[in-house]
Amino acid sequence: KNHKDYFMHGAETKRTTKQKSLPRPNFFDENKWTLSSPDAYPKCNSPIPEEDITYSLVFQGTEGRLQTLNHTCERWKGNMSLAVYTNKPEDTIIQYLVQDMKCDKEQLTVTCVPPFEELKGKDEFPYNYLRRVALDATVTSHIVYLDMDFVPSSNLEEMLYDPNLLEGFSKHNKVALVIPAFGMNMPNQCVPMAQAEQETCIQKNIEVPQIKEDVLADPFSINPFQVYGPESEAKGMKLGFPRGHAPTDYAKWLTHKTGEIYPLGCLSIGFEPYFVVQKCQHLPPPQDQFIVGYDKISWVRHMAISGYDFYAIAGDAFFIHLPHARARSEKRTKEATDDLFTSKTKLYNYVTKAFKSTSAMPLCGPEKLGVLVDEYIDVLNKYHNNTNIIFLTHKKAKKKARTKSSRWITMGKKR
């Protein structure tokens, strides 16, 4: 059966634009963790018929991020569940997405969440609450989780309906399939502009990669390790926060056959991937309390400690993070930075007190993260025929000083 036959499946996916009843948020009570998904979620039966496997993109964000969805709607023709942080009604948002972003109304499930009074004027954002709302609204067997400013590769949807992948998802319900993520630099001409002008400039001046070769063509502009800006004079780039995505093992993504599934060897404390997973009662819910950092990280750690195995898919399957002006919640004040350290403590307390499972995947230490980054640089160098490209990466093994130390790596030789 052709995968396109699965995209819209009749009465099961009827859309509604009436005002939805939203779950009560739990932002500040750290003694009330929500440890299991609602009973309304399907039971985690295995196997499930392959013909019953369908996917929804699930994402959250502000109204300002909606303008990135023209790229997503062009590439993804299946179901999409959005939680939008706005006072506007669902009908208004859907009209904008259909008329301006060229989305198909039949693929959209939109839930609008009015801003919370207790969070107004603060550097805090209800990321996990919005994720939970978008997840609750899905009508498919599996969800493809990403943030609103990420765009799927052009044939990701088709790859997810590969018979081998369907067979795997049919037999296993505690598996998360990581879709490798890459970030794009902001176009140079947009950098000096004011925030409002930046967004328009970005939309006019970026070409979003469609296949693997597009991603690899310019490693200085597109990279998986959070690009902080090109080091133009050194013809290199700064790679930051490898804990976030290095466990995806990008060397295997590059060298393995397109569509091949490979297991992740370890996870990091800061691992925050985007993934495909079955929506059922085993799936832990995102925790509302993480409103200043560690929001996605806490969800992934919950899944790991609950016994989920993590795999990744190679080749033409990937997500691209579109550059954008920084949101208020990303501009940390001193108070918000202090709250971030509190959130880190909250994360440790959450995963250690709430769960006692010993089935969690092993953690990647600093040295292992460094190895994963270096292996990707080595295979990228070979892909570019050993050209003399320089990368600046952070040292991860030593923690003697607060200042960021670094080392230079020249692709093909070290100095």
Side-chain angles (χ1 to χ4, degrees):
K1 189 174 183 179
N2 191 289
H3 75 280
K4 292 182 180 179
D5 295 334
Y6 294 124
F7 287 170
M8 302 300 169
H9 45 288
E12 290 182 38
T13 60
K14 280 187 177 179
R15 302 291 177 267
T16 176
T17 58
K18 67 180 182 180
Q19 184 63 40
K20 303 175 179 65
S21 176
L22 297 175
R24 183 179 179 84
N26 183 31
F27 296 134
F28 302 112
D29 190 346
E30 296 179 28
N31 295 315
K32 292 183 65 176
W33 303 111
T34 306
L35 303 185
S36 60
S37 289
D39 292 338
Y41 280 25
K43 292 183 178 180
C44 301
N45 296 324
S46 291
I48 60 174
E50 293 178 20
E51 59 268 21
D52 289 345
I53 296 176
T54 50
Y55 304 96
S56 291
L57 289 188
V58 173
F59 34 35
Q60 52 72 33
T62 62
E63 186 182 346
R65 290 284 185 265
L66 293 174
Q67 62 181 310
T68 64
L69 292 181
N70 59 326
H71 301 287
T72 299
C73 289
E74 181 182 355
R75 300 178 180 195
W76 182 273
K77 302 305 179 183
N79 298 301
M80 298 165 57
S81 178
L82 296 76
V84 187
Y85 200 49
T86 178
N87 279 314
K88 293 182 179 179
E90 278 90 357
D91 284 345
T92 300
I93 299 300
I94 290 174
Q95 183 180 14
Y96 170 77
L97 292 174
V98 172
Q99 293 184 356
D100 294 78
M101 297 297 103
K102 309 304 179 185
C103 303
D104 186 336
K105 184 177 181 179
E106 291 302 311
Q107 73 182 136
L108 299 173
T109 298
V110 175
T111 307
C112 291
V113 177
F116 294 101
E117 289 294 331
E118 57 266 46
L119 300 183
K120 285 185 178 179
K122 298 182 179 181
D123 293 307
E124 297 172 334
F125 191 81
Y127 296 104
N128 274 355
Y129 177 81
L130 294 175
R131 289 183 179 111
R132 186 158 63 92
V133 167
L135 179 59
D136 288 352
T138 55
V139 294
T140 53
S141 66
H142 288 65
I143 63 109
V144 184
Y145 173 69
L146 69 163
D147 287 334
M148 201 177 289
D149 49 4
F150 279 75
V151 177
S153 54
S154 59
N155 60 350
L156 172 63
E157 187 170 25
E158 183 173 1
M159 293 177 68
L160 291 180
Y161 284 97
D162 178 87
N164 292 327
L165 190 55
L166 291 175
E167 181 182 4
F169 277 139
S170 171
K171 294 178 179 178
H172 306 286
N173 55 46
K174 271 199 167 184
V175 168
L177 180 69
V178 173
I179 308 298
F182 293 81
M184 294 184 70
N185 274 357
M186 184 179 293
N188 289 333
Q189 62 267 40
C190 305
V191 174
M193 295 182 175
Q195 181 171 333
E197 297 173 330
Q198 270 186 345
E199 297 293 354
T200 302
C201 177
I202 291 168
Q203 290 296 317
K204 289 182 177 180
N205 290 283
I206 60 169
E207 294 185 12
V208 184
Q210 299 194 50
I211 59 176
K212 179 174 72 173
E213 286 71 23
D214 297 338
V215 172
L216 297 172
D218 185 1
F220 296 135
S221 298
I222 305 170
N223 199 276
F225 304 115
Q226 286 200 348
V227 179
Y228 293 124
E231 306 288 337
S232 56
E233 293 183 4
K235 296 183 180 179
M237 63 184 290
K238 199 173 184 179
L239 307 181
F241 197 56
R243 290 177 298 164
H245 293 281
T248 301
D249 200 341
Y250 287 86
K252 290 181 179 177
W253 171 83
L254 197 159
T255 57
H256 283 40
K257 182 181 177 181
T258 287
E260 184 174 342
I261 308 300
Y262 58 92
L264 304 191
C266 58
L267 308 182
S268 62
I269 285 292
F271 194 39
E272 48 179 1
Y274 300 94
F275 52 85
V276 184
V277 71
Q278 183 177 343
K279 178 188 175 181
C280 65
Q281 292 176 11
H282 286 332
L283 181 63
Q287 302 298 309
D288 299 348
Q289 292 92 328
F290 292 95
I291 51 179
V292 184
Y294 297 95
D295 46 280
K296 188 158 68 256
I297 291 170
S298 65
W299 190 20
V300 172
R301 287 304 300 156
H302 190 158
M303 292 172 61
I305 294 174
S306 298
Y308 276 76
D309 292 318
F310 288 76
Y311 293 78
I313 184 169
D316 284 343
F318 55 84
F319 288 132
I320 290 291
H321 178 250
L322 300 182
H324 54 72
R326 295 183 69 188
R328 176 183 171 85
S329 60
E330 296 172 320
K331 299 176 182 178
R332 299 293 182 199
T333 63
K334 182 182 185 302
E335 180 182 355
T337 302
D338 291 341
D339 287 341
L340 189 59
F341 285 109
T342 302
S343 291
K344 185 174 183 179
T345 303
K346 189 187 302 180
L347 171 65
Y348 280 96
N349 291 341
Y350 166 56
V351 298
T352 56
K353 291 181 180 178
F355 309 101
K356 303 296 182 184
S357 171
T358 58
S359 61
M361 291 182 64
L363 289 176
C364 307
E367 292 185 5
K368 177 60 177 178
L369 291 174
V371 169
L372 290 170
V373 172
D374 289 349
E375 287 177 347
Y376 178 63
I377 291 175
D378 288 342
V379 297
L380 192 60
N381 175 49
K382 293 177 183 178
Y383 179 86
H384 285 280
N385 297 317
N386 294 306
T387 51
N388 191 30
I389 304 175
I390 298 173
F391 281 79
L392 175 64
T393 68
H394 296 299
K395 279 187 177 178
K396 296 163 284 292
K398 296 182 180 180
K399 301 179 180 179
K400 291 183 179 179
R402 291 286 182 183
T403 56
K404 293 180 179 178
S405 57
S406 59
R407 62 193 174 92
W408 285 99
I409 295 179
T410 304
M411 297 176 70
K413 62 181 180 179
K414 298 183 180 180
R415 67 178 184 185

